[in-house]
Amino acid sequence: MKRVTLLAAFLLAFLSGVKANDLNNDLVELAKIYRNFMFRNSPTESTYAQLKGIKSAELASSAKFIKETITSKNRLAETEFLKLPDEETLKYVYIIKLINWNIREEKPRDNVELISELTEKEVPRYELIDSYYDMLFSGIGNKNQPFDLSGINFSTSEYDFRDDTEKGIFFLKAMNLCGTVIWGYMNVVNPQNHKAALENIEKYPRFNGQPYYQYLDFGFPDFEMEIEEGKGVGSYKAYYINKYYDTLLSHLAILSQKKKDRERRTDLILGSILKEKNYYRYSKKKNELEALFTTVER
């Protein structure tokens, strides 16, 4: 009886080791697929066959998500993907993202060691959510060209968010993509291409049925995390609200060019956080914001 018990324990340990090895291999495989096809490269049929070959049942949702992030004209802007997945999937997607960072290094760490470290690490939920929507909105922007979210209404009550912080992360990640779309027209070309920038702003999504700038729920507590790879931890609000203010100010600059847009300009100022002075401290253009509101008051 004792020999049978020891044999059973040995078999269980062996099978557990095989399963863990399969899981590690599949996580690395997903990260490599994501890295190779996250931008403009188009996956081949063999790539999709690789995705189908993922053995680990616990990675089914993660593999489905990765497949969508690398697919052109994808469905990432549909509720199925916008809705937060379960905690396990959030963690696996986070691990895939960090393996992707690792394998791009000149001298990457051993992936199995990294996976073990990340698996044991207690990652804050907000950081997991940021990672998920970072990949989701990157997938929308990279794989759906030309940019056009004008027919989309993001309804934050439908995505299983627990609080305003989670809603705020979603909004700021979405607007980070939207701001990137017009940044070059306002900061690279000379003179600024207001026409092209405005055309893209008019293709922004709505949030809870309203124009993007009417989202005002930024009173959630700030938190810190590593936002850019290798740059250490920093204030979440300082990074993303600063970028959001840049988008609002670009929009305002465009609407300030013609008298016919005066009413739209006023709506933008009074309907957005351009008027909320308590958030100015998060912007690198605090003086510009304060001068703007002083001018309006006159």
Side-chain angles (χ1 to χ4, degrees), residues 102-262:
N102 182 54
I103 59 180
R104 288 189 282 112
E105 294 290 338
E106 182 181 359
K107 295 180 179 179
R109 292 180 56 186
D110 179 81
N111 284 315
V112 174
E113 290 182 5
L114 177 61
I115 292 169
S116 177
E117 176 186 303
L118 294 173
T119 300
E120 295 175 5
K121 180 181 178 182
E122 188 173 341
V123 183
R125 177 176 166 86
Y126 294 152
E127 192 167 341
L128 296 177
I129 292 172
D130 172 89
S131 178
Y132 180 79
Y133 287 121
D134 181 72
M135 294 171 72
L136 182 141
F137 284 110
S138 293
I140 290 175
N142 292 336
K143 295 294 184 174
N144 296 278
Q145 297 295 326
F147 172 85
D148 189 355
L149 296 179
S150 59
I152 302 293
N153 175 47
F154 290 128
S155 180
T156 57
S157 63
E158 298 179 5
Y159 307 147
D160 294 341
F161 296 137
R162 295 179 181 177
D163 55 34
D164 283 347
T165 303
E166 297 183 4
K167 292 178 183 178
I169 292 170
F170 174 86
F171 176 82
L172 290 169
K173 298 302 289 192
M175 287 311 303
N176 188 53
L177 166 62
C178 292
T180 301
V181 171
I182 68 166
W183 190 87
Y185 296 122
M186 301 300 293
N187 296 277
V188 177
V189 298
N190 188 18
Q192 295 175 331
N193 191 337
H194 289 175
K195 182 175 183 294
L198 185 58
E199 286 174 353
N200 278 284
I201 289 172
E202 290 170 349
K203 295 175 183 176
Y204 282 2
R206 298 176 77 83
F207 292 85
N208 303 317
Q210 299 178 320
Y212 83 93
Y213 59 82
Q214 290 186 17
Y215 188 91
L216 304 174
D217 296 331
F218 299 104
F220 57 86
D222 194 11
F223 60 95
E224 292 192 339
M225 60 170 280
E226 182 178 22
I227 298 170
E228 292 188 279
E229 181 187 2
K231 293 192 175 180
V233 300
S235 160
Y236 197 83
K237 283 189 171 184
Y239 186 88
Y240 283 108
I241 292 182
N242 171 63
K243 284 180 173 289
Y244 180 51
Y245 266 126
D246 285 349
T247 300
L248 289 170
L249 288 170
S250 291
H251 193 177
L252 185 64
I254 295 166
L255 296 180
S256 299
Q257 302 303 305
K258 299 178 181 179
K259 288 184 178 180
K260 69 173 185 173
D261 290 327
R262 184 176 298 170

Side-chain angles (χ1 to χ4, degrees), residues 49-78:
Q50 282 179 279
L51 286 166
K52 285 183 180 180
I54 296 298
K55 300 175 183 178
S56 306
E58 56 266 61
L59 291 179
S61 295
S62 302
K64 186 177 183 180
F65 176 69
I66 294 301
K67 177 184 177 181
E68 211 62 33
T69 64
I70 65 171
T71 299
S72 297
K73 305 299 179 184
N74 56 50
R75 300 187 298 112
L76 289 172
E78 296 180 9

